[in-house]
Amino acid sequence: METARLLAAADGPLKINWAEMPTYNTIMAVAAGAGLLLVVGLGRRLAGRGTVLHPEGWALAFGVLGLILTLTGLHMTLTWPLAAGGFPFDNIIFGEPSLAFGVLMLAAALFLWRRGTILEEHPDRPGYVAGIAGPMSIFIVGMGLACFGIAAAGIWYELFAAPEQEPISGLLADHPMIEATFISVLYALVGVGAVLFPAALGAPRGPLGRVVGFCWALAGLLFLIFGALNYFTHIGLIVNTM
């Protein structure tokens, strides 16, 4: 967390007033990672021939994750700055992409709940999905480009570096570019998949579809693991800087 680094005193122990520094990107990262993996999993089922979907189950999964991301992303987006005095760009980096992904997942959940049976029985399932998702792909491409911007900012300004007071991640405190590169690559992977998404809709089993699936599956898995790990590292940082 670069928040702590920005608030560190020049010649004293690092102390953070956590009452003025709300942070919950832990559950956001886990939900975003799980959401990306769900999108890839559903995409593979939709591309398969004769695959049973069980759309109600997918709708519930998308709805749960979409609700978490929408609520946390909306609060983080509308609260400016969320981190009082120390980390205002958290709103942009985590809040806005989470809000966008959350609303998209809620829309997908509603569609699967209401129209899942038709989708399951449709003779041209990929074509039907492409026609439904096509208009929304404009926004998805835009958010993909936004992910490229976040990734570039992470490298340019050396963001995401953890302070030495944070367990595990703090071991790299003297090498800020390592964590900056890692998180930026995750955003770039999401961006690549989003930008290629409209082209992959027409041929989900083709090369572009496989590239999108690979990018989102890898980014989703890493976001999921990193977010789960942060439940320990962030608790440790809070304890060490209270």
Side-chain angles (χ1 to χ4, degrees):
M1 283 180 58
E2 60 276 32
T3 306
R5 183 164 56 88
L6 291 172
L7 298 181
D11 55 357
L14 177 62
K15 298 293 180 183
I16 298 176
N17 182 5
W18 288 103
E20 298 181 357
M21 191 68 65
T23 178
Y24 36 76
N25 52 20
T26 40
I27 193 170
M28 295 169 79
V30 171
L36 288 169
L37 292 174
L38 277 177
V39 170
V40 174
L42 179 59
R44 289 177 177 175
R45 283 183 173 268
L46 290 174
R49 295 183 176 88
T51 306
V52 179
L53 291 181
H54 300 294
E56 295 87 354
W58 291 96
L60 290 174
F62 273 68
V64 168
L65 298 177
L67 182 62
I68 292 172
L69 289 170
T70 299
L71 291 178
T72 54
L74 182 65
H75 179 251
M76 187 176 283
T77 298
L78 298 181
T79 305
W80 185 265
L82 178 70
F87 193 28
F89 40 89
D90 199 5
N91 304 58
I92 300 173
I93 293 174
F94 298 112
E96 295 184 19
S98 294
L99 174 60
F101 191 26
V103 173
L104 287 171
M105 293 195 72
L106 287 179
L110 177 62
F111 173 78
L112 289 168
W113 188 264
R114 296 289 302 274
R115 310 285 289 181
T117 304
I118 296 176
L119 178 62
E120 194 169 30
E121 299 172 352
H122 202 281
D124 182 18
R125 191 184 292 170
Y128 181 66
V129 172
I132 296 296
M136 190 59 68
S137 64
I138 298 174
F139 179 59
I140 294 174
V141 169
M143 290 308 302
L145 296 175
C147 286
F148 289 153
I150 293 173
I155 297 294
W156 186 269
Y157 296 107
E158 296 186 11
L159 305 179
F160 313 117
E164 61 182 12
Q165 289 80 5
E166 183 172 335
I168 303 178
S169 303
L171 298 174
L172 301 173
D174 294 332
H175 307 282
M177 281 302 297
I178 294 179
E179 192 163 2
T181 301
F182 173 71
I183 301 298
S184 293
V185 167
L186 292 187
Y187 274 98
L189 285 172
V190 175
V192 170
V195 169
L196 295 179
F197 177 76
L201 274 177
R205 300 172 65 92
L208 289 181
R210 289 194 291 269
V211 170
V212 172
F214 172 79
C215 289
W216 283 353
L218 180 58
L221 180 63
L222 293 176
F223 265 121
L224 184 77
I225 295 174
F226 189 70
L229 177 65
N230 281 345
Y231 273 94
F232 172 73
T233 62
H234 284 196
I235 290 172
L237 176 63
I238 293 171
V239 171
N240 292 334
T241 56
M242 287 190 303

